[in-house]
């Protein structure tokens, strides 16, 4: 039986995007079933304009050079890897509504649904992580 990993992404920023997508793609690579629930600032990770929206905090600006030197994939590339690996990505319906967004604001492959939809997945998770 495959392991199940439930991730909640509620914060924005490039650091958070890398944390979320690193865990998600690593888990998917081990054949785990992975679901990510994006809410509040975490929605910026899956936004079509994420490259412009996701910034390093000033105290972490030195990471940019390290990411390039280590050949770390971009957030867009990691999202593509995650989607291709079957990671389920769910944007919080309530937050989408509150922020005046629509499904069209997000990259392809994103579903919009309520917390209950994610909880149905997360109740059976072997690992739960929140960023």
């Amino acid at each position: 039986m495959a392991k199940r990993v439930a991730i909640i992404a509620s914060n924005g920023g490039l650091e958070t995007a890398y944390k979320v997508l690193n865990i998600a793609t690593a888990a998917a690579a081990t054949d785990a079933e992975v679901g990510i629930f994006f809410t509040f600032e975490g929605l910026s990770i899956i936004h079509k304009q994420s490259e412009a929206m996701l910034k390093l905090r000033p105290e972490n600006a030195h990471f940019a050079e390290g990411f390039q030197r280590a050949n770390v994939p971009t957030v867009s590339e990691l999202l593509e890897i995650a989607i291709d690996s079957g990671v389920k990505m769910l944007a919080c319906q309530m937050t989408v509504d509150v922020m005046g967004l629509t499904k069209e604001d997000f990259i392809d492959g994103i579903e919009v649904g309520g917390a209950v939809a994610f909880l149905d997945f997360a109740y059976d998770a072997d690992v739960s992580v929140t960023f």
Side-chain angles (χ1 to χ4, degrees):
M1 184 170 166
K3 297 286 184 189
R4 184 176 273 200
V5 178
I7 302 169
I8 298 174
S10 61
N11 293 300
L14 194 57
E15 298 92 332
T16 299
Y18 275 114
K19 293 171 194 176
V20 168
L21 296 171
N22 183 48
I23 295 295
T25 56
T30 66
D31 293 325
E33 186 180 4
V34 183
I36 309 172
F37 186 68
F38 295 90
T39 188
F40 290 95
E41 288 84 3
L43 289 171
S44 62
I45 298 169
I46 54 172
H47 197 280
K48 285 181 180 174
Q49 303 301 318
S50 67
E51 298 272 338
M53 298 170 80
L54 298 173
K55 303 291 180 202
L56 289 168
R57 290 189 305 248
E59 65 269 23
N60 292 334
H62 62 282
F63 288 159
E65 185 179 306
F67 286 137
Q68 288 183 330
R69 188 175 54 252
N71 292 319
V72 175
T74 65
V75 169
S76 295
E77 291 168 334
L78 285 171
L79 284 165
E80 187 175 325
I81 291 166
I83 290 167
D84 290 348
S85 300
V87 173
K88 295 179 181 90
M89 297 194 205
L90 185 66
C92 174
Q93 180 71 65
M94 180 197 73
T95 310
V96 168
D97 292 346
V98 166
M99 293 183 164
L101 300 170
T102 67
K103 184 175 180 173
E104 288 69 37
D105 290 308
F106 303 111
I107 62 170
D108 291 340
I110 303 302
E111 295 177 38
V112 177
V116 171
F118 180 72
L119 288 171
D120 285 342
F121 176 87
Y123 284 141
D124 295 322
D126 299 288
V127 176
S128 298
V129 190
T130 301
F131 293 104

